Amino acid sequence: MSAPDPRKQKASKAIVSRLFEDATNVWVIHYSCESFYDRTDGRSPRITSIAIRKLDSGQTVSFSIHQVAELEGIELTGIAAHYDALERKMLDAFFAHVGSHRGMKYLHWNMRDINYGFAAIEHRHRALSGTPFVIPDDNKFDLARLLIDIYGVGYTGHPRLTTLLEKNKIQPRDFLNGASEAEAFEQGNYVGLHQSTLRKVDILANIAGRVDDGSLKTNTSWWEMHGGRFRTLVNFAAENRAFQLIAGGASIVGLIVTFQPQLPQTILRALTSGQ
């Protein structure tokens, strides 16, 4: 397995640290939607639920199609017939919340493009004649990519999120993978999709916290994490005060031996033994 690039690793570790230092202004976000595979009609996938969780307090705000339907007096079995109108109201509420919390940072998992990501949510809102609030790219942080930079591309198996949960013994209660989410949508299981979305923001915050405190378990070995023996020794020497003092003392003794060979051997033994 290839070791992480030391420059990317350092930069990504610093990003995670800064996010936790500013945790009051960081939201963990995830959403569920209709399957975006094997689409032939050109229509963008419908969104079923969105959840955002405060990184510091864990307080979570969610937006879901079935909750909007309940407020409108529509039964679960009637959602399909009114989906566009309900989805528009759900996205209106989501973007109103985002717009009222400007400047917040968003930690996500692979929400990077029009296929699945912030751009996909914005596009869906526009397709329903809405006007989305666009979050600046500088305020979006992809935890999936940060993990690759910190631990290396082979830090876990595929699918990465599922195997990482197994490795760290994080219980995936209510968790649905991509295939299960697509099946749940086809079955009209909007409540299950919402519960899965809520669970995933909790999981992502859990993983991020373990990255920050150094307790996340991965397939990356200690030596790979530290770039091999030479780089590890250099870093250790540069960062360890005790090592520097010992090395400095040894250098002084070496100079004395070189330039003062006539000193009594007892003095040299005392110096080298630290007495």
Side-chain angles (χ1 to χ4, degrees):
M1 186 184 76
S2 59
D5 179 275
R7 291 170 298 179
K8 290 183 178 180
Q9 183 186 62
K10 182 177 180 180
S12 292
K13 280 185 174 181
I15 288 172
V16 173
S17 295
R18 288 197 299 269
L19 289 175
F20 276 89
E21 289 168 2
D22 191 32
T24 56
N25 295 312
V26 179
W27 295 84
V28 182
I29 184 171
H30 198 76
Y31 78 99
S32 60
C33 65
E34 186 179 11
S35 175
F36 41 78
Y37 295 111
D38 301 322
R39 306 190 64 79
T40 58
D41 59 3
R43 181 175 54 81
S44 54
R46 288 169 163 173
I47 295 170
T48 59
S49 63
I50 307 172
I52 51 177
R53 180 190 190 275
K54 288 291 293 294
L55 188 60
D56 62 336
S57 66
Q59 291 296 312
T60 303
V61 181
S62 62
F63 311 86
S64 64
I65 201 79
H66 77 279
Q67 289 178 331
V68 176
E70 183 180 17
L71 294 175
E72 295 294 312
I74 298 173
E75 299 291 335
L76 286 175
T77 55
I79 288 178
H82 304 276
Y83 205 102
D84 283 359
L86 297 174
E87 185 183 10
R88 166 65 191 272
K89 289 185 178 181
M90 178 184 67
L91 295 179
D92 283 345
F94 167 70
F95 282 112
H97 184 277
V98 172
S100 65
H101 293 80
R102 297 175 184 234
M104 296 295 104
K105 302 177 180 69
Y106 292 85
L107 184 64
H108 63 92
W109 186 270
N110 281 335
M111 288 176 54
R112 294 195 301 267
D113 54 41
I114 193 67
N115 196 38
Y116 179 83
F118 294 92
I121 302 174
E122 294 161 9
H123 174 78
R124 189 64 193 159
H125 198 210
R126 292 190 186 100
L128 297 170
S129 302
T131 304
F133 177 86
V134 178
I135 300 169
D137 286 344
D138 288 345
N139 288 11
K140 304 168 187 173
F141 300 87
D142 186 354
L143 181 59
R145 293 181 69 86
L146 290 171
L147 291 181
I148 291 174
D149 287 346
I150 293 171
Y151 299 100
V153 69
Y155 75 93
T156 192
H158 290 278
R160 285 195 171 103
L161 187 55
T162 302
T163 57
L164 196 60
L165 296 183
E166 295 172 355
K167 184 80 172 178
N168 288 272
K169 295 181 171 55
I170 299 174
Q171 297 300 318
R173 179 174 53 88
D174 300 325
F175 179 97
L176 296 177
N177 59 27
S180 297
E181 285 192 351
E183 183 179 355
F185 184 91
E186 292 300 324
Q187 295 175 347
N189 184 11
Y190 306 116
V191 175
L193 286 164
H194 183 224
Q195 291 173 336
S196 177
T197 305
L198 290 171
R199 180 58 174 158
K200 284 179 180 178
V201 292
D202 181 62
I203 286 171
L204 295 181
N206 187 328
I207 292 172
R210 297 185 188 209
V211 175
D212 185 52
D213 66 21
S215 66
L216 186 71
K217 296 179 180 179
T218 71
N219 293 338
T220 308
S221 69
W222 189 90
W223 287 113
E224 289 168 331
M225 272 295 291
H226 294 80
R229 294 178 182 273
F230 179 74
R231 181 180 154 216
T232 301
L233 179 61
V234 171
N235 287 345
F236 179 80
E239 298 172 3
N240 191 286
R241 180 63 178 168
F243 182 90
Q244 293 171 1
L245 291 173
I246 293 171
S251 298
I252 292 172
V253 171
L255 289 173
I256 292 173
V257 171
T258 300
F259 296 105
Q260 301 291 339
Q262 70 276 18
L263 281 178
Q265 291 299 311
T266 54
I267 296 177
L268 289 178
R269 281 197 297 270
L271 286 172
T272 55
S273 65
Q275 297 175 357

